[in-house]
Amino acid sequence: MRTRVLTTEGWLDFQEYFVHRQCRPAVREFAFAGAETARVQPDALAALERRDLRAIVICPSNPFVSVEPILAVPGIRAALQQSHAP
């Protein structure tokens, strides 16, 4: 997936926004190009379905550009919600 940022200057690729523009334009929205066609790795889904799974920890660097892309992949959010682990 490719993270895109809608700013006061228009749509930018995340690296352009973060590195070249140094996070200066105000952010209006994030989009994850390719999320709709991304596929979950089957072993990841199987791990989330395990009855002996004790916990699920999602701890990337930033909720908008790290956690949201994970949740945007079809099937991930549902698998997390259906898991027996907290």
Side-chain angles (χ1 to χ4, degrees):
M1 286 186 292
R2 192 173 86 206
T3 300
R4 304 272 294 151
V5 184
L6 179 59
T7 72
T8 51
E9 297 179 12
W11 283 103
L12 301 170
D13 285 330
F14 179 73
Q15 289 300 318
E16 173 69 21
Y17 166 76
F18 189 76
V19 177
H20 294 117
R21 307 287 178 96
Q22 299 176 339
C23 303
R24 287 192 181 127
V27 173
R28 305 258 189 242
E29 180 181 338
F30 289 99
F32 309 105
E36 64 282 347
T37 58
R39 298 289 176 256
V40 180
Q41 209 280 337
D43 289 342
L45 288 179
L48 292 172
E49 293 172 356
R50 290 181 55 135
R51 300 291 282 172
D52 63 341
L53 184 63
R54 295 181 57 196
I56 299 169
V57 178
I58 301 175
C59 54
S61 63
N62 181 294
F64 298 112
V65 296
S66 296
V67 177
E68 278 300 319
I70 294 168
L71 297 176
V73 175
I76 288 288
R77 189 180 302 267
L80 289 168
Q81 291 170 333
Q82 294 168 4
S83 176
H84 299 284

